[in-house]
Amino acid sequence: SNTFTYGDIKISITESDTNDEDGDSSTNSYVIMPGANIKKDTKVTVESGSEDCYLFIKIDKENDFDKYMTYSVEDKWIKLDGYEDIYYIEVDNNKDNQTFKVLKDDVIKVKTELTYADINDIEIYPTMTISAYAVQRNENMDAIDSPTEAWLLAYNQNN
């Protein structure tokens, strides 16, 4: 008698709340000033008992974000070849939760050459959205032979 079960991956994404009046850490607001370092401590957790997986982050920036601010992704993340602002980590099954920081030093830096006049001229405020995805990683899966194939599967199923 054989029993066949399914593998499961559970992930979560968290960030500290900025106390910006709405009480929701997924909609933080920040004040930008030339040369300021803004704390942004986004973390992705693969929960205990999850299968081996490719863990992805996708960073979407809008409204001239790069004109005003810079950041670096934590060193553990590998940039996915051929894609802008998509990174991955290969995560092995573990009995404990595994948490990965997204931004190096948990910081976004406002460019120092920015002037107060530049900031006052902003009509639509810049935004950054970080999303996380996971796909099971197993050498016996014919459809997924690379991180790129895993990303395409994850992204297409979620969009």
Side-chain angles (χ1 to χ4, degrees), residues 60-103:
D60 290 305
K61 301 168 293 187
E62 296 181 1
N63 307 324
D64 293 327
F65 181 94
D66 292 329
K67 178 179 177 182
Y68 305 108
M69 291 168 275
T70 64
Y71 66 93
S72 295
V73 173
E74 188 68 32
D75 291 339
K76 284 187 175 194
W77 295 96
I78 302 166
K79 186 174 184 328
L80 188 62
D81 286 339
Y83 291 86
E84 186 71 26
D85 294 323
I86 300 189
Y87 301 83
Y88 73 96
I89 296 175
E90 292 185 21
V91 181
D92 293 330
N93 183 341
N94 196 310
K95 63 180 172 78
D96 298 317
N97 287 349
Q98 298 178 76
T99 300
F100 304 94
K101 291 173 33 172
V102 173
L103 300 178

Short mmCIF file of all heavy atoms in Angstrom, two decimals, residues 60-103:
data_model
loop_
_atom_site.label_atom_id
_atom_site.label_comp_id
_atom_site.label_asym_id
_atom_site.label_seq_id
_atom_site.Cartn_x
_atom_site.Cartn_y
_atom_site.Cartn_z
N ASP A 60 8.65 46.35 -7.21
CA ASP A 60 8.02 47.27 -8.16
C ASP A 60 8.18 48.69 -7.64
O ASP A 60 7.83 48.97 -6.49
CB ASP A 60 6.52 46.95 -8.31
CG ASP A 60 6.28 45.65 -9.03
OD1 ASP A 60 6.80 45.50 -10.15
OD2 ASP A 60 5.58 44.78 -8.48
N LYS A 61 8.70 49.56 -8.49
CA LYS A 61 8.88 50.97 -8.13
C LYS A 61 8.11 51.82 -9.13
O LYS A 61 8.15 51.54 -10.33
CB LYS A 61 10.37 51.33 -8.15
CG LYS A 61 11.20 50.49 -7.19
CD LYS A 61 12.68 50.66 -7.44
CE LYS A 61 12.99 50.07 -8.79
NZ LYS A 61 14.38 50.00 -9.15
N GLU A 62 7.44 52.83 -8.62
CA GLU A 62 6.64 53.69 -9.49
C GLU A 62 6.87 55.15 -9.16
O GLU A 62 7.39 55.49 -8.09
CB GLU A 62 5.15 53.35 -9.34
CG GLU A 62 4.81 51.94 -9.80
CD GLU A 62 3.34 51.62 -9.68
OE1 GLU A 62 2.55 52.49 -9.26
OE2 GLU A 62 2.98 50.48 -9.99
N ASN A 63 6.43 56.00 -10.07
CA ASN A 63 6.42 57.45 -9.88
C ASN A 63 7.82 58.01 -9.62
O ASN A 63 8.03 58.74 -8.65
CB ASN A 63 5.45 57.85 -8.76
CG ASN A 63 4.06 57.28 -8.99
OD1 ASN A 63 3.61 57.18 -10.12
ND2 ASN A 63 3.41 56.87 -7.94
N ASP A 64 8.76 57.65 -10.48
CA ASP A 64 10.13 58.19 -10.42
C ASP A 64 10.88 57.81 -9.15
O ASP A 64 11.73 58.57 -8.67
CB ASP A 64 10.14 59.71 -10.59
CG ASP A 64 9.72 60.15 -11.97
OD1 ASP A 64 10.02 59.42 -12.94
OD2 ASP A 64 9.10 61.23 -12.10
N PHE A 65 10.59 56.65 -8.58
CA PHE A 65 11.27 56.21 -7.36
C PHE A 65 12.78 56.35 -7.49
O PHE A 65 13.44 56.91 -6.60
CB PHE A 65 10.90 54.75 -7.05
CG PHE A 65 11.53 54.23 -5.79
CD1 PHE A 65 10.85 54.28 -4.59
CD2 PHE A 65 12.82 53.70 -5.81
CE1 PHE A 65 11.44 53.82 -3.42
CE2 PHE A 65 13.41 53.24 -4.65
CZ PHE A 65 12.71 53.30 -3.45
N ASP A 66 13.35 55.84 -8.59
CA ASP A 66 14.81 55.86 -8.76
C ASP A 66 15.38 57.28 -8.92
O ASP A 66 16.57 57.49 -8.73
CB ASP A 66 15.23 54.99 -9.95
CG ASP A 66 14.98 53.51 -9.70
OD1 ASP A 66 15.08 53.08 -8.54
OD2 ASP A 66 14.70 52.79 -10.68
N LYS A 67 14.56 58.23 -9.26
CA LYS A 67 15.00 59.62 -9.37
C LYS A 67 15.31 60.20 -7.98
O LYS A 67 16.19 61.03 -7.84
CB LYS A 67 13.91 60.45 -10.05
CG LYS A 67 14.22 61.91 -10.19
CD LYS A 67 13.07 62.61 -10.91
CE LYS A 67 13.31 64.10 -11.00
NZ LYS A 67 12.18 64.79 -11.66
N TYR A 68 14.60 59.71 -6.97
CA TYR A 68 14.70 60.27 -5.63
C TYR A 68 15.46 59.40 -4.63
O TYR A 68 16.01 59.92 -3.67
CB TYR A 68 13.31 60.55 -5.07
CG TYR A 68 12.48 61.43 -5.96
CD1 TYR A 68 11.40 60.91 -6.68
CD2 TYR A 68 12.77 62.79 -6.10
CE1 TYR A 68 10.64 61.73 -7.51
CE2 TYR A 68 12.01 63.60 -6.93
CZ TYR A 68 10.95 63.06 -7.63
OH TYR A 68 10.20 63.86 -8.45
N MET A 69 15.46 58.09 -4.83
CA MET A 69 15.99 57.19 -3.80
C MET A 69 16.81 56.06 -4.39
O MET A 69 16.66 55.72 -5.56
CB MET A 69 14.82 56.61 -3.00
CG MET A 69 14.13 57.67 -2.15
SD MET A 69 12.57 57.12 -1.47
CE MET A 69 11.46 57.48 -2.80
N THR A 70 17.65 55.46 -3.53
CA THR A 70 18.44 54.28 -3.90
C THR A 70 18.32 53.25 -2.80
O THR A 70 17.95 53.57 -1.66
CB THR A 70 19.92 54.62 -4.11
OG1 THR A 70 20.47 55.06 -2.87
CG2 THR A 70 20.11 55.68 -5.18
N TYR A 71 18.67 52.02 -3.12
CA TYR A 71 18.67 50.92 -2.15
C TYR A 71 19.53 49.81 -2.73
O TYR A 71 19.85 49.80 -3.91
CB TYR A 71 17.24 50.41 -1.89
CG TYR A 71 16.64 49.76 -3.11
CD1 TYR A 71 16.74 48.38 -3.31
CD2 TYR A 71 15.99 50.52 -4.08
CE1 TYR A 71 16.21 47.80 -4.45
CE2 TYR A 71 15.47 49.95 -5.21
CZ TYR A 71 15.58 48.59 -5.39
OH TYR A 71 15.06 48.00 -6.52
N SER A 72 19.87 48.87 -1.87
CA SER A 72 20.56 47.65 -2.30
C SER A 72 19.80 46.47 -1.72
O SER A 72 19.30 46.53 -0.60
CB SER A 72 22.01 47.62 -1.79
OG SER A 72 22.75 48.66 -2.36
N VAL A 73 19.78 45.39 -2.48
CA VAL A 73 19.15 44.16 -2.01
C VAL A 73 20.18 43.40 -1.17
O VAL A 73 21.38 43.40 -1.48
CB VAL A 73 18.65 43.32 -3.21
CG1 VAL A 73 18.14 41.96 -2.77
CG2 VAL A 73 17.58 44.09 -3.96
N GLU A 74 19.73 42.76 -0.11
CA GLU A 74 20.59 41.96 0.77
C GLU A 74 21.41 40.98 -0.07
O GLU A 74 20.93 40.43 -1.07
CB GLU A 74 19.71 41.23 1.79
CG GLU A 74 20.45 40.52 2.88
CD GLU A 74 21.16 41.46 3.83
OE1 GLU A 74 20.70 42.59 4.08
OE2 GLU A 74 22.22 41.04 4.32
N ASP A 75 22.66 40.74 0.32
CA ASP A 75 23.62 39.95 -0.46
C ASP A 75 23.17 38.52 -0.76
O ASP A 75 23.58 37.95 -1.77
CB ASP A 75 24.98 39.90 0.25
CG ASP A 75 25.68 41.25 0.25
OD1 ASP A 75 25.35 42.11 -0.60
OD2 ASP A 75 26.55 41.46 1.11
N LYS A 76 22.35 37.90 0.09
CA LYS A 76 21.94 36.51 -0.14
C LYS A 76 21.08 36.33 -1.39
O LYS A 76 21.02 35.25 -1.95
CB LYS A 76 21.14 35.98 1.06
CG LYS A 76 21.98 35.64 2.24
CD LYS A 76 21.13 34.97 3.30
CE LYS A 76 22.03 34.52 4.43
NZ LYS A 76 21.39 33.60 5.31
N TRP A 77 20.39 37.39 -1.78
CA TRP A 77 19.50 37.31 -2.94
C TRP A 77 20.31 37.33 -4.23
O TRP A 77 21.24 38.10 -4.37
CB TRP A 77 18.50 38.46 -2.93
CG TRP A 77 17.56 38.41 -1.77
CD1 TRP A 77 17.69 39.07 -0.58
CD2 TRP A 77 16.35 37.66 -1.67
NE1 TRP A 77 16.63 38.77 0.25
CE2 TRP A 77 15.79 37.90 -0.40
CE3 TRP A 77 15.69 36.79 -2.54
CZ2 TRP A 77 14.60 37.32 0.01
CZ3 TRP A 77 14.51 36.22 -2.12
CH2 TRP A 77 13.97 36.48 -0.86
N ILE A 78 19.92 36.49 -5.19
CA ILE A 78 20.57 36.40 -6.49
C ILE A 78 19.65 37.04 -7.52
O ILE A 78 18.46 36.70 -7.61
CB ILE A 78 20.82 34.92 -6.86
CG1 ILE A 78 21.69 34.25 -5.80
CG2 ILE A 78 21.45 34.81 -8.25
CD1 ILE A 78 21.71 32.73 -5.90
N LYS A 79 20.21 37.98 -8.30
CA LYS A 79 19.40 38.62 -9.33
C LYS A 79 19.06 37.59 -10.41
O LYS A 79 19.94 36.87 -10.88
CB LYS A 79 20.15 39.80 -9.95
CG LYS A 79 19.29 40.58 -10.93
CD LYS A 79 20.00 41.83 -11.39
CE LYS A 79 19.16 42.70 -12.28
NZ LYS A 79 18.19 42.07 -13.14
N LEU A 80 17.80 37.52 -10.80
CA LEU A 80 17.37 36.58 -11.83
C LEU A 80 17.76 37.13 -13.19
O LEU A 80 17.37 38.25 -13.56
CB LEU A 80 15.85 36.37 -11.75
CG LEU A 80 15.28 35.29 -12.64
CD1 LEU A 80 15.84 33.91 -12.26
CD2 LEU A 80 13.75 35.26 -12.53
N ASP A 81 18.58 36.36 -13.92
CA ASP A 81 19.08 36.80 -15.22
C ASP A 81 17.93 37.17 -16.15
O ASP A 81 16.94 36.43 -16.27
CB ASP A 81 19.90 35.68 -15.89
CG ASP A 81 21.27 35.49 -15.25
OD1 ASP A 81 21.74 36.44 -14.60
OD2 ASP A 81 21.84 34.40 -15.39
N GLY A 82 18.07 38.32 -16.79
CA GLY A 82 17.10 38.75 -17.78
C GLY A 82 15.88 39.47 -17.21
O GLY A 82 14.98 39.83 -17.97
N TYR A 83 15.85 39.68 -15.90
CA TYR A 83 14.70 40.33 -15.28
C TYR A 83 15.15 41.50 -14.41
O TYR A 83 16.14 41.40 -13.70
CB TYR A 83 13.90 39.33 -14.43
CG TYR A 83 13.19 38.30 -15.26
CD1 TYR A 83 13.84 37.14 -15.65
CD2 TYR A 83 11.88 38.50 -15.67
CE1 TYR A 83 13.20 36.20 -16.44
CE2 TYR A 83 11.24 37.57 -16.45
CZ TYR A 83 11.89 36.43 -16.83
OH TYR A 83 11.26 35.49 -17.61
N GLU A 84 14.40 42.56 -14.47
CA GLU A 84 14.67 43.75 -13.67
C GLU A 84 14.00 43.60 -12.31
O GLU A 84 12.81 43.30 -12.24
CB GLU A 84 14.12 44.99 -14.39
CG GLU A 84 14.47 46.29 -13.75
CD GLU A 84 15.93 46.67 -13.91
OE1 GLU A 84 16.57 46.22 -14.87
OE2 GLU A 84 16.41 47.41 -13.04
N ASP A 85 14.76 43.79 -11.26
CA ASP A 85 14.22 43.82 -9.89
C ASP A 85 13.51 42.54 -9.45
O ASP A 85 12.54 42.59 -8.69
CB ASP A 85 13.30 45.04 -9.71
CG ASP A 85 14.09 46.33 -9.81
OD1 ASP A 85 15.23 46.36 -9.32
OD2 ASP A 85 13.56 47.32 -10.35
N ILE A 86 14.01 41.39 -9.92
CA ILE A 86 13.52 40.10 -9.43
C ILE A 86 14.74 39.32 -8.94
O ILE A 86 15.75 39.21 -9.64
CB ILE A 86 12.78 39.31 -10.52
CG1 ILE A 86 11.59 40.14 -10.98
CG2 ILE A 86 12.39 37.92 -10.02
CD1 ILE A 86 10.62 39.52 -11.87
N TYR A 87 14.62 38.79 -7.72
CA TYR A 87 15.73 38.11 -7.06
C TYR A 87 15.21 36.82 -6.46
O TYR A 87 14.01 36.68 -6.19
CB TYR A 87 16.30 39.00 -5.94
CG TYR A 87 16.79 40.34 -6.43
CD1 TYR A 87 15.92 41.40 -6.61
CD2 TYR A 87 18.13 40.53 -6.72
CE1 TYR A 87 16.37 42.63 -7.08
CE2 TYR A 87 18.58 41.76 -7.19
CZ TYR A 87 17.69 42.80 -7.37
OH TYR A 87 18.15 44.01 -7.83
N TYR A 88 16.14 35.87 -6.23
CA TYR A 88 15.72 34.60 -5.65
C TYR A 88 16.78 34.05 -4.70
O TYR A 88 17.94 34.45 -4.72
CB TYR A 88 15.40 33.56 -6.74
CG TYR A 88 16.62 33.02 -7.45
CD1 TYR A 88 17.20 31.82 -7.04
CD2 TYR A 88 17.20 33.70 -8.52
CE1 TYR A 88 18.32 31.31 -7.69
CE2 TYR A 88 18.31 33.21 -9.16
CZ TYR A 88 18.88 32.02 -8.74
OH TYR A 88 19.98 31.52 -9.37
N ILE A 89 16.33 33.11 -3.87
CA ILE A 89 17.18 32.31 -2.99
C ILE A 89 16.69 30.87 -3.09
O ILE A 89 15.48 30.64 -3.14
CB ILE A 89 17.07 32.77 -1.51
CG1 ILE A 89 17.57 34.20 -1.34
CG2 ILE A 89 17.83 31.83 -0.59
CD1 ILE A 89 17.36 34.76 0.07
N GLU A 90 17.61 29.92 -3.14
CA GLU A 90 17.23 28.52 -3.05
C GLU A 90 17.17 28.15 -1.57
O GLU A 90 18.17 28.24 -0.86
CB GLU A 90 18.23 27.63 -3.79
CG GLU A 90 18.20 27.85 -5.29
CD GLU A 90 19.10 26.90 -6.06
OE1 GLU A 90 19.45 25.82 -5.52
OE2 GLU A 90 19.44 27.23 -7.21
N VAL A 91 15.99 27.75 -1.10
CA VAL A 91 15.77 27.45 0.31
C VAL A 91 15.56 25.96 0.48
O VAL A 91 14.76 25.35 -0.23
CB VAL A 91 14.54 28.23 0.85
CG1 VAL A 91 14.33 27.94 2.32
CG2 VAL A 91 14.70 29.72 0.61
N ASP A 92 16.30 25.36 1.42
CA ASP A 92 16.15 23.95 1.72
C ASP A 92 15.15 23.75 2.85
O ASP A 92 15.06 24.58 3.77
CB ASP A 92 17.49 23.33 2.12
CG ASP A 92 18.47 23.30 0.97
OD1 ASP A 92 18.03 23.19 -0.19
OD2 ASP A 92 19.68 23.39 1.22
N ASN A 93 14.42 22.64 2.78
CA ASN A 93 13.46 22.27 3.82
C ASN A 93 14.15 22.33 5.18
O ASN A 93 15.30 21.93 5.32
CB ASN A 93 12.96 20.85 3.53
CG ASN A 93 11.90 20.39 4.48
OD1 ASN A 93 11.74 20.91 5.58
ND2 ASN A 93 11.17 19.39 4.05
N ASN A 94 13.43 22.82 6.18
CA ASN A 94 14.02 22.98 7.50
C ASN A 94 12.94 22.82 8.55
O ASN A 94 11.78 23.13 8.29
CB ASN A 94 14.67 24.37 7.61
CG ASN A 94 15.62 24.51 8.75
OD1 ASN A 94 15.30 24.17 9.89
ND2 ASN A 94 16.80 25.01 8.46
N LYS A 95 13.31 22.36 9.73
CA LYS A 95 12.33 22.21 10.80
C LYS A 95 12.00 23.54 11.45
O LYS A 95 11.04 23.67 12.20
CB LYS A 95 12.80 21.21 11.84
CG LYS A 95 14.07 21.62 12.58
CD LYS A 95 14.46 20.56 13.59
CE LYS A 95 15.80 20.83 14.19
NZ LYS A 95 15.88 21.81 15.20
N ASP A 96 12.78 24.58 11.17
CA ASP A 96 12.56 25.90 11.74
C ASP A 96 12.16 26.89 10.66
O ASP A 96 12.46 26.70 9.48
CB ASP A 96 13.85 26.42 12.41
CG ASP A 96 14.31 25.53 13.55
OD1 ASP A 96 13.46 25.11 14.35
OD2 ASP A 96 15.53 25.26 13.63
N ASN A 97 11.48 27.96 11.06
CA ASN A 97 11.22 29.05 10.14
C ASN A 97 12.56 29.62 9.66
O ASN A 97 13.52 29.67 10.42
CB ASN A 97 10.43 30.16 10.83
CG ASN A 97 8.99 29.80 11.07
OD1 ASN A 97 8.47 28.81 10.56
ND2 ASN A 97 8.31 30.61 11.85
N GLN A 98 12.59 30.05 8.40
CA GLN A 98 13.78 30.68 7.84
C GLN A 98 13.39 32.06 7.34
O GLN A 98 12.53 32.18 6.47
CB GLN A 98 14.34 29.83 6.71
CG GLN A 98 14.78 28.44 7.16
CD GLN A 98 15.29 27.63 6.01
OE1 GLN A 98 16.40 27.84 5.54
NE2 GLN A 98 14.47 26.71 5.52
N THR A 99 14.00 33.08 7.90
CA THR A 99 13.64 34.46 7.57
C THR A 99 14.79 35.13 6.84
O THR A 99 15.95 35.01 7.24
CB THR A 99 13.28 35.24 8.85
OG1 THR A 99 12.16 34.57 9.47
CG2 THR A 99 12.90 36.67 8.54
N PHE A 100 14.44 35.86 5.77
CA PHE A 100 15.42 36.51 4.92
C PHE A 100 15.09 38.00 4.80
O PHE A 100 13.99 38.36 4.39
CB PHE A 100 15.44 35.88 3.53
CG PHE A 100 15.68 34.40 3.57
CD1 PHE A 100 14.61 33.50 3.57
CD2 PHE A 100 16.96 33.88 3.63
CE1 PHE A 100 14.82 32.14 3.62
CE2 PHE A 100 17.19 32.51 3.67
CZ PHE A 100 16.11 31.64 3.67
N LYS A 101 16.06 38.85 5.16
CA LYS A 101 15.91 40.29 4.97
C LYS A 101 15.96 40.59 3.48
O LYS A 101 16.68 39.94 2.73
CB LYS A 101 17.03 41.04 5.69
CG LYS A 101 16.94 40.97 7.19
CD LYS A 101 18.11 41.57 7.94
CE LYS A 101 18.76 42.74 7.30
NZ LYS A 101 19.78 43.42 8.12
N VAL A 102 15.23 41.62 3.06
CA VAL A 102 15.18 41.99 1.65
C VAL A 102 16.20 43.08 1.33
O VAL A 102 17.00 42.93 0.41
CB VAL A 102 13.76 42.42 1.23
CG1 VAL A 102 13.75 42.96 -0.18
CG2 VAL A 102 12.80 41.24 1.36
N LEU A 103 16.18 44.17 2.07
CA LEU A 103 17.04 45.31 1.77
C LEU A 103 18.29 45.31 2.63
O LEU A 103 18.22 45.08 3.84
CB LEU A 103 16.29 46.63 1.96
CG LEU A 103 15.04 46.81 1.10
CD1 LEU A 103 14.37 48.13 1.42
CD2 LEU A 103 15.39 46.73 -0.38
#
